Amino acid sequence: MSGFLKKPEVRKTWRSDCVKALSKVNTMVKLDLCRCSSDFLDEIVAVCPQLEYISAKAIKNSQINMTNLGNCQNLIELNIKGLEGITVINVSVLMNFTKLKHLSLMTVKNMSEVLEVVGKMTQLESLELGEMINVTETHVIQGFSQLTNLKRLRLKKGQQDCPTNAIMQTISKLPSLNHLELINFDSTKGFDAFLGKCSNISTSSMVLKLVPINAIQVNTLVKLDLCRCTSKVLEHIAAICPQLEYISARAIKSSQISLTNLRNCKNLTELKLKGLRELCVIEVSLLLNLTKLNHLSLISVNNMAVVLEVVGKMTQLESLELGDMMSVTETHVIQGFSQLTKLRHLRLEKGQRDCPTDAILRTISQLPSLIQLELINFDVKAGFEVSLARCSNIKILLMIPTYVTQSATTNHLVMEGVSKLDKTLNFFVWGLTLELLRVTDKFIDLWETGQKNTSAKNPIQNPQKESAGNCVPLLKPAIADGKKPKEGAVTQVDVVQLPKLHNMLTALLPNTKIMILKVPFSATWRQTISGLLNQ
């Protein structure tokens, strides 16, 4: 909030005007509020009874009154969450929402009262509740036993005296429930036995405070999504759930993982493994047993050379994500990629130091089905532009170079390379790190304060004032405004504002959708094409 809106009298007037304006918008059916007070939400719903969707997941107050919400008879989805513990007043009003399908009440203090009401809302299909600490077995039975239409259940903070076993026993009898998420739950004695009875569950996402060895003996479970865990947990689950079709463990704490037990998961179509630090994959050759596997993701792996030898034989793969790519040779690259004729999506991370980037690009340029390429934190060296130009098969490209030294040269080579794909590239995302932008700002500051009187032969040209993280260095001769420079032109470094860079790319790639992404280095690993397309 700006300093202007921090003044109480201004904020009160602004809020009043906002509510008054919303009262005149009788076509508004969806309301999504960020940080706000419960009073503000209360005022809005009082004048907008036509709302079908309400989300307020950062309520500042310690309580919220549901009275005015009762007027929203058309409500289908309601998401309420307090920044800290929140008490829900007049919970019984929820009974008015006969069309409500999705209910989310998080960080709630009076969960026992909520369960008494929720248990009567038999039309619910999706339910999220937390905290589950101060409830009894009776509350649990009241809250869940009659929800016969419920398909998805997410429960959070089941610790201390939470009747976890009673929860598992009750929900195991719900005929429509097939998706379960337990977040920060203590595993109690007998937990594994009760969870084993949940034959209705086909999708499970669990973050348990303690995970027992025989945690998930559910023969209908086909999707497993684990958050931070040890490799032993995953190995044991795979051993007792050979029917799994999807496994994701993207925060493995251990330094190594064995794939021995995964070989029994013959129905596996998607496998995603990532270490919090460097991860050594043992028994990699057992991946060849997974003949139905279409999507494979192995990230933060330190024995990638061994992985590539096996992956190169998995010709059924359609999507592949690998990292780190530093300690591999040209031979490993050819072995790993040349036979993957069905591969449509390839993501590679950490291609630095001696990574044979040119060999990678030359090899994948021959893959007939490959259309999407993501290169995350790759060194860009001389020859990169020639190799990238070969990749006329690529329609979608996400490129985040490393920016340590020679940033102007890196940017020049990227532009030279993509310019050759003007007839084939449909979507290009260029990731620039905030660290690069800050360094460029510092250079501009230095130039402004002390270098204005340097000779005309100085290789620095046209720094832009007031860049504010909006400029990058670009080596010249480079392509400028769609035109190639004259031969023999003196090599210079230009400082280019991002809007101008976008215009230059648009001139070079007139048929390509272009996105310039500003991102901190720490977040580069989280950038994906699918995520950017959904923004």
Side-chain angles (χ1 to χ4, degrees):
M1 185 178 289
S2 67
F4 180 71
L5 285 178
K6 285 182 179 180
K7 296 180 179 179
E9 64 277 10
V10 175
R11 188 165 65 246
K12 184 177 180 180
T13 302
W14 174 85
R15 196 169 86 174
S16 176
D17 291 344
C18 183
V19 173
K20 185 177 180 180
L22 289 174
S23 68
K24 299 177 182 179
V25 187
N26 56 17
T27 57
M28 184 175 75
V29 294
K30 184 173 181 179
L31 176 68
D32 199 334
L33 295 174
C34 295
R35 190 183 187 104
C36 68
S37 67
S38 58
D39 293 339
F40 187 42
L41 172 61
D42 201 40
E43 291 177 34
I44 293 176
V45 297
V47 299
C48 296
Q50 77 279 1
L51 286 168
E52 298 176 5
Y53 172 102
I54 296 175
S55 180
K57 306 191 85 168
I59 294 175
K60 296 184 289 184
N61 307 65
S62 60
Q63 65 179 35
I64 181 171
N65 194 320
M66 307 296 284
T67 302
N68 284 339
L69 276 168
N71 298 322
C72 300
Q73 302 287 327
N74 295 321
L75 206 59
I76 297 172
E77 185 164 344
L78 175 62
N79 302 298
I80 301 292
K81 181 179 180 181
L83 288 174
E84 298 177 355
I86 188 170
T87 300
V88 182
I89 309 297
N90 289 329
V91 188
S92 60
V93 172
L94 288 172
M95 295 296 298
N96 292 357
F97 305 143
T98 55
K99 296 181 181 180
L100 197 69
K101 300 296 183 183
H102 176 102
L103 175 63
S104 177
L105 297 174
M106 305 303 291
T107 63
V108 171
K109 289 181 179 179
N110 58 327
M111 187 55 67
S112 58
E113 293 178 49
V114 170
L115 284 174
E116 289 179 17
V117 176
V118 166
K120 301 172 186 176
M121 301 175 70
T122 55
Q123 80 280 8
L124 287 176
E125 296 179 3
S126 175
L127 178 62
E128 300 180 353
L129 297 176
E131 302 160 347
M132 299 299 296
I133 297 177
N134 299 314
V135 298
T136 66
E137 185 172 335
T138 300
H139 295 137
V140 164
I141 295 172
Q142 286 179 335
F144 301 126
S145 61
Q146 301 303 312
L147 303 184
T148 54
N149 291 314
L150 197 66
K151 298 178 181 179
R152 175 180 177 271
L153 178 62
R154 176 185 174 93
L155 302 176
K156 193 169 182 179
K157 206 168 184 180
Q159 300 165 8
Q160 297 172 13
D161 296 326
C162 173
T164 306
N165 292 347
I167 293 174
M168 303 309 299
Q169 188 174 27
T170 304
I171 67 175
S172 69
K173 299 173 183 177
L174 300 181
S176 302
L177 186 66
N178 60 25
H179 184 119
L180 174 64
E181 300 181 28
L182 301 178
I183 311 300
N184 292 330
F185 262 63
D186 288 345
S187 56
T188 58
K189 183 178 180 181
F191 172 82
D192 55 329
F194 284 115
L195 186 53
K197 294 179 181 179
C198 294
S199 58
N200 49 339
I201 304 300
S202 60
T203 303
S204 177
S205 176
M206 298 199 299
V207 188
L208 302 176
K209 189 173 181 181
L210 297 171
V211 181
I213 295 302
N214 297 316
I216 311 176
Q217 294 176 338
V218 187
N219 56 19
T220 56
L221 182 70
V222 294
K223 183 174 181 180
L224 179 68
D225 198 335
L226 294 173
C227 292
R228 182 184 290 248
C229 67
T230 65
S231 59
K232 292 298 181 184
V233 169
L234 176 57
E235 291 167 15
H236 282 292
I237 292 175
I240 60 179
C241 294
Q243 76 282 354
L244 285 168
E245 298 176 7
Y246 172 103
I247 295 176
S248 178
R250 308 296 295 268
I252 297 173
K253 295 187 289 184
S254 314
S255 60
Q256 66 179 39
I257 183 170
S258 174
L259 301 185
T260 301
N261 290 339
L262 281 171
R263 67 180 172 184
N264 298 320
C265 300
K266 299 295 180 67
N267 294 321
L268 206 60
T269 59
E270 192 161 341
L271 175 62
K272 300 177 180 180
L273 303 178
K274 181 178 180 179
L276 289 174
R277 299 178 181 83
E278 288 190 351
L279 182 68
C280 181
V281 183
I282 309 298
E283 301 288 352
V284 185
S285 62
L286 295 177
L287 286 172
L288 295 174
N289 288 8
L290 309 177
T291 56
K292 295 182 180 180
L293 197 69
N294 294 323
H295 179 107
L296 175 62
S297 178
L298 298 174
I299 303 295
S300 299
V301 172
N302 62 12
N303 59 329
M304 188 53 66
V306 179
V307 170
L308 284 174
E309 290 179 16
V310 176
V311 166
K313 302 173 185 176
M314 302 176 69
T315 55
Q316 81 279 10
L317 287 176
E318 296 177 7
S319 176
L320 179 61
E321 301 177 352
L322 297 176
D324 301 337
M325 299 299 296
M326 291 190 297
S327 302
V328 298
T329 66
E330 184 170 340
T331 301
H332 295 137
V333 164
I334 296 171
Q335 287 179 335
F337 300 128
S338 61
Q339 301 304 313
L340 304 184
T341 55
K342 295 182 179 180
L343 196 66
R344 296 177 57 80
H345 164 240
L346 177 63
R347 177 185 176 93
L348 302 176
E349 296 187 4
K350 206 168 185 180
Q352 300 162 11
R353 298 204 294 254
D354 296 326
C355 173
T357 305
D358 290 344
I360 291 173
L361 293 173
R362 288 196 303 270
T363 304
I364 66 174
S365 70
Q366 303 299 314
L367 301 182
S369 301
L370 186 65
I371 59 173
Q372 182 172 319
L373 175 64
E374 302 176 31
L375 299 177
I376 310 299
N377 291 320
F378 262 64
D379 288 346
V380 175
K381 303 174 183 176
F384 173 86
E385 75 284 13
V386 176
S387 300
L388 182 61
R390 294 171 178 262
C391 298
S392 58
N393 52 337
I394 301 300
K395 309 297 182 187
I396 302 172
L397 173 63
L398 167 59
M399 178 75 205
I400 305 181
T402 52
Y403 288 107
V404 181
T405 59
Q406 304 294 323
S407 299
T409 301
T410 293
N411 292 333
H412 164 65
L413 294 175
V414 170
M415 289 193 70
E416 285 280 2
V418 296
S419 69
K420 304 298 193 300
L421 303 177
D422 58 311
K423 292 181 176 59
T424 54
L425 196 60
N426 295 332
F427 186 37
F428 173 46
V429 182
W430 188 351
L432 302 171
T433 64
L434 297 186
E435 289 80 359
L436 167 68
L437 300 177
R438 282 196 289 266
V439 168
T440 307
D441 281 352
K442 289 180 180 179
F443 161 73
I444 294 174
D445 289 341
L446 287 173
W447 183 89
E448 288 178 337
T449 56
Q451 298 187 18
K452 290 184 179 180
N453 298 320
T454 53
S455 67
K457 295 182 179 180
N458 192 302
I460 304 300
Q461 186 181 37
N462 297 333
Q464 306 290 333
K465 293 184 179 181
E466 299 180 2
S467 64
N470 206 39
C471 290
V472 292
L474 184 62
L475 184 70
K476 300 181 72 174
I479 300 171
D481 299 323
K483 299 179 181 179
K484 291 188 176 181
K486 298 178 181 179
E487 290 187 11
V490 178
T491 298
Q492 297 174 320
V493 173
D494 200 357
V495 176
V496 180
Q497 292 187 341
L498 296 190
K500 181 180 178 182
L501 181 64
H502 192 281
N503 291 338
M504 293 166 68
L505 287 168
T506 300
L508 293 168
L509 303 166
N511 300 314
T512 305
K513 180 180 178 181
I514 295 165
M515 179 183 293
I516 296 178
L517 181 69
K518 296 195 292 186
V519 61
F521 173 78
S522 60
T524 53
W525 317 102
R526 297 195 295 272
Q527 307 308 310
T528 64
I529 284 290
S530 58
L532 295 169
L533 286 172
N534 291 330
Q535 285 184 359

